[in-house]
């Protein structure tokens, strides 16, 4: 018993040392341009993030990364403590890479912002035999697969070409490119070109492409003040931008300009986004059985495309912890939907 107690003491001491090693007072958050993530740009510019960081005695550096996948790669490599990303990409990049990650903020789901676009064709079935440009193995790839299934096609019927989101608009303007899958604001820019048609979008799979702020789990556990500051800032921004008064219009105008569009263009993108302006609405999805089913589907797609790692035996190789239950290996949880901080915001505890 003494030996056992000594082992437990050493273990607990090691855990404390580990937590202390991760304790910090300066953090870095990265984001990329997307309608649902522009609030981070506004919150940074207007000092809202700074205000909440000051409240908890920490520093938060908010950094824009122009290439979406690169932003996630940098987060996964430990260069950032938090990063904006979708539910699927959180599973297939950091979690699949062994980085335990937590969805701190469930911000919205795409309700038409992600789309399959064809040139000179008006039906998704016309995509058969075409070369499709998209960010390979991202939610765009997932959307394509879900769309193809609705018209009795599969990925074997098309040729997928990996293309950076930073190049998507320019390459669609060339004669060789006839189909793309991408997200706003790129969708709006491409649809403004002649002879383009949106043939499938995320409104046809509502609630499956979810936009998140993901935080390194170990960092969050060692620094709850980071979670409080980020969530507090987020819902202050949500309250400012939602509505028709001058403050809301000014906020959305600033977000529009930062994403290189105008207020009308940004509001059009918001119309195809199911924003969770309140913690109550975010919690409803986070705690739902629907989220569990969505993540099961995402994990299965990811496994079928080899995105869970070479040694993954099945779709449940990586545990995904949710309020409705854990999908996959409960002994290897690397992706978590934690409602704790959103609940604090709902309860006025921030």
């Amino acid at each position: 018993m003494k030996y056992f107690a000594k082992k437990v003491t050493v273990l607990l001491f090691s855990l404390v040392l580990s937590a202390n090693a991760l304790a910090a007072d300066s953090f870095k958050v990265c984001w990329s341009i997307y309608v649902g993530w522009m609030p981070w740009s506004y919150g940074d510019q207007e000092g809202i993030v700074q205000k909440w960081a000051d409240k908890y005695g920490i520093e938060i550096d908010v950094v824009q990364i122009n290439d979406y996948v690169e932003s996630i790669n940098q987060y996964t490599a430990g260069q950032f403590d938090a990063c904006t990303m979708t539910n699927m990409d959180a599973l297939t990049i950091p979690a699949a890479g062994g980085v335990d990650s937590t969805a701190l903020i469930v911000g919205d789901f795409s309700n038409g912002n992600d789309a399959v676009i064809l040139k000179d064709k008006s039906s998704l079935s016309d995509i058969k035999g075409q070369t499709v440009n998209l960010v390979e193995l991202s939610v765009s790839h997932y959307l394509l697969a879900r769309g193809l299934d609705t018209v009795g096609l599969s990925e074997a019927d098309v040729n997928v070409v990996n293309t950076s989101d930073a190049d998507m608009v320019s390459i669609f303007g060339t004669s060789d490119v006839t189909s793309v899958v991408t997200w706003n604001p790129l969708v709006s820019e491409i649809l403004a070109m002649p002879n383009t048609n949106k043939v499938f979008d995320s409104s046809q799979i509502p609630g499956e492409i979810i936009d998140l702020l993901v935080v390194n789990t170990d960092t969050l556990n060692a620094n709850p003040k980071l979670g409080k500051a980020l969530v507090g800032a987020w819902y202050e921004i949500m309250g400012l931008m939602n509505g028709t008064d001058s403050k809301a219009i000014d906020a959305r105008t600033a977000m529009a300009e930062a994403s290189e569009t105008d207020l009308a263009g940004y509001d059009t993108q918001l119309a195809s986004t199911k924003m969770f302006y309140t913690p109550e609405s975010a919690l409803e999805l986070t705690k739902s059985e629907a989220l569990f089913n969505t993540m099961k589907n995402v994990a299965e797609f990811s496994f079928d495309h080899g995105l869970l790692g070479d040694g993954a035996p099945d779709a449940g190789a990586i545990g995904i912890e949710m309020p409705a239950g854990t999908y996959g290996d409960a002994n290897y949880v690397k992706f978590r939907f934690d409602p704790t901080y959103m609940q604090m915001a709902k309860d006025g505890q921030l």
Side-chain angles (χ1 to χ4, degrees), residues 129-320:
Q130 291 199 33
T131 294
V132 185
N133 294 80
L134 51 74
V135 177
E136 193 173 12
L137 308 179
S138 72
V139 292
S140 292
H141 203 154
Y142 177 77
L143 180 72
L144 174 65
R146 296 283 281 114
L148 290 173
D149 189 56
T150 67
V151 291
L153 298 176
S154 70
E155 288 183 60
D157 295 306
V158 298
N159 178 36
V160 169
V161 173
N162 186 34
T163 307
S164 169
D165 54 307
D167 300 326
M168 202 69 69
V169 175
S170 61
I171 63 101
F172 196 77
T174 66
S175 59
D176 293 339
V177 176
T178 58
S179 60
V180 298
V181 188
T182 189
W183 52 80
N184 265 321
L186 307 180
V187 167
S188 296
E189 292 183 55
I190 292 171
L191 288 176
M193 297 179 183
N195 305 317
T196 58
N197 294 289
K198 180 169 64 174
V199 295
F200 190 81
D201 67 37
S202 52
S203 69
Q204 293 163 263
I205 53 168
E208 293 191 33
I209 299 177
I210 308 169
D211 302 308
L212 312 167
L213 179 70
V214 170
V215 181
N216 181 284
T217 300
D218 293 335
T219 300
L220 179 63
N221 289 343
N223 302 277
K225 55 194 175 183
L226 174 62
K228 293 177 182 179
L230 289 172
V231 171
W234 177 259
Y235 286 114
E236 179 173 340
I237 300 165
M238 291 296 100
L240 286 170
M241 70 179 286
N242 183 28
T244 57
D245 61 17
S246 60
K247 288 184 178 180
I249 291 172
D250 288 346
R252 296 201 306 278
T253 298
M255 295 178 201
E257 291 172 352
S259 60
E260 300 183 352
T261 185
D262 56 17
L263 178 61
Y266 187 68
D267 280 348
T268 297
Q269 294 175 35
L270 279 174
S272 54
T273 309
K274 176 60 178 176
M275 292 294 297
F276 298 128
Y277 290 109
T278 65
E280 290 87 350
S281 58
L283 285 164
E284 184 178 355
L285 176 65
T286 304
K287 295 180 178 180
S288 69
E289 191 71 31
L291 176 63
F292 185 94
N293 293 331
T294 290
M295 291 312 301
K296 177 178 180 293
N297 291 337
V298 167
E300 290 172 349
F301 169 88
S302 301
F303 174 70
D304 290 343
H305 288 76
L307 301 180
L308 301 184
D310 294 337
D314 53 44
I318 298 171
I320 308 170

Side-chain angles (χ1 to χ4, degrees), residues 35-44 234 237-238 241 255 266:
V35 57
W37 297 327
M38 297 316 298
W40 290 114
S41 172
Y42 179 76
D44 183 39
W234 177 259
I237 300 165
M238 291 296 100
M241 70 179 286
M255 295 178 201
Y266 187 68

